Amino acid sequence: EIVLNRYGLETREGRLHPEQLDDQSFLERHHALVVKKLEQKMNELEMFAQTLSRKNRELQVSEARYRGLFEQANVAIYVLQRNTFKVLDVNKLGLALLGYSREDLVALSCFPFEKSEANALVKFQNQEEYFGESVIVARDGKPVQVELSAGTFGTGDESKILLFVRDITEQKKIREMLAQAEKLSLMGTLASGIAHEIRNPLAAVTLNLQYLEQKLAGVPSSYDS
C-alpha cells in the first residue's frame, strides 16, 4: 500500500523521501495512487447510483400502484389540508360526485360543505378519526346527503385528512319512504282495529233485531185493528 503525504511517499517497507526517488518515479507513483483512489470513488459512486436508481424504480412502482388504487376506488376520496380543509387531491368518483374538474376543485379555498354543516370541520380538527353524516354542495348548488369517514395522517403543518365520502341521497329518500309506509301501515292497523271494535256491537244489535223480527212475525200489530 502506498500513501502520499507532505513528507513524500510511504510504503509498508518504510518512508521514501523525494530525494530517494527521481522525478519520473515519484510522478508515476503519485499518478498510480491518484488513479487508484479515483477508481475506488468511482466504484462507490456507481454502487450508490445503482442503489438510488433501484430505489427510484421501487418508488415509482409504489406510487403507480397507489395512484391506481386511489383512482379506481369505488368510493369518493379527498385528501384535505387539515388546517385549512383545502382539497389537495381527489379521485375520479370524488370529481363526479361534486361535478367539479380537478383544477377547479383544488382551486377552492375549502371543501364545499353546506354552511349549516360547517361544524363538521370542527369535528375533523378535534378528532383523529371521524364517522358520520353531513351535507355537501355540488358545483350546481345541489345539496348532497353524504356519509363521511375520515382519518388523519402526517404531523404538524403537513398533517392531512383522508376523507371517504359516499352519496346516501337515494338511501335517505328510501328511508323516508319506508318510514312513511310504516306510518301508513300503523294507521291502517289502527283503523282496522277501530272498525272491528265498532262492528262487534253492531253485529249484536243486528242479531237481536233479527230475533225480534222473527218472534213478532205472527203477533198482530195494534195498527192492524
Side-chain angles (χ1 to χ4, degrees):
E1 182 179 359
I2 302 174
V3 179
L4 178 67
N5 56 37
R6 62 178 180 171
Y7 300 109
L9 297 175
E10 290 185 358
T11 67
R12 289 182 179 178
E13 290 75 19
R15 181 178 299 170
L16 298 176
H17 293 281
E19 59 268 26
Q20 295 177 274
L21 303 169
D22 56 29
D23 292 340
Q24 183 66 29
S25 298
F26 179 79
L27 290 174
E28 288 177 355
R29 289 174 179 269
H30 179 269
H31 180 266
L33 179 61
V34 171
V35 169
K36 184 176 180 180
K37 291 294 183 182
L38 286 175
E39 288 177 347
Q40 291 177 349
K41 291 297 180 183
M42 288 297 294
N43 289 334
E44 291 175 1
L45 286 174
E46 186 177 355
M47 292 179 63
F48 178 76
Q50 291 176 355
T51 301
L52 186 62
S53 178
R54 177 172 54 81
K55 292 292 184 181
N56 188 46
R57 289 195 300 270
E58 292 175 354
L59 183 61
Q60 290 176 347
V61 171
S62 178
E63 184 177 356
R65 185 182 299 113
Y66 156 76
R67 177 55 61 177
L69 293 172
F70 182 76
E71 290 294 346
Q72 300 303 322
N74 60 357
V75 63
I77 306 176
Y78 304 88
V79 179
L80 310 181
Q81 186 69 43
R82 187 173 186 182
N83 296 333
T84 63
F85 303 104
K86 180 178 175 62
V87 179
L88 301 177
D89 202 357
V90 55
N91 68 349
K92 293 178 181 178
L93 280 183
L95 295 173
L97 178 62
L98 293 173
Y100 282 91
S101 67
R102 188 180 302 274
E103 293 74 16
D104 290 340
L105 186 59
V106 171
L108 295 179
S109 59
C110 182
F111 188 78
F113 281 105
E114 193 175 66
K115 290 182 179 179
S116 62
E117 294 294 316
N119 61 332
L121 304 181
V122 178
K123 295 175 183 177
F124 286 135
Q125 284 182 330
N126 296 336
Q127 300 181 36
E128 294 298 320
E129 296 181 356
Y130 174 77
F131 181 83
E133 294 182 3
S134 186
V135 181
I136 59 179
V137 182
R139 186 169 189 172
D140 60 4
K142 179 182 176 181
V144 183
Q145 298 278 345
V146 294
E147 185 178 77
L148 305 176
S149 178
T152 60
F153 64 97
T155 57
D157 294 337
E158 297 300 319
S159 181
K160 297 177 179 60
I161 296 173
L162 189 61
L163 181 64
F164 297 88
V165 179
R166 191 163 61 91
D167 185 357
I168 57 172
T169 303
E170 292 302 320
Q171 289 186 19
K172 281 277 190 179
K173 291 180 180 179
I174 293 173
R175 289 177 191 172
E176 291 174 359
M177 291 174 62
L178 289 174
Q180 187 66 22
E182 186 176 357
K183 289 179 181 179
L184 293 175
S185 176
L186 288 174
M187 291 178 63
T189 301
L190 179 61
S192 176
I194 293 174
H196 179 73
E197 293 298 325
I198 292 175
R199 280 198 302 269
N200 283 341
L202 287 177
V205 171
T206 301
L207 289 173
N208 287 328
L209 288 174
Q210 291 174 351
Y211 171 75
L212 289 173
E213 183 180 11
Q214 292 174 0
K215 188 172 182 179
L216 298 175
V219 178
S221 172
S222 60
Y223 294 103
D224 293 340
S225 60

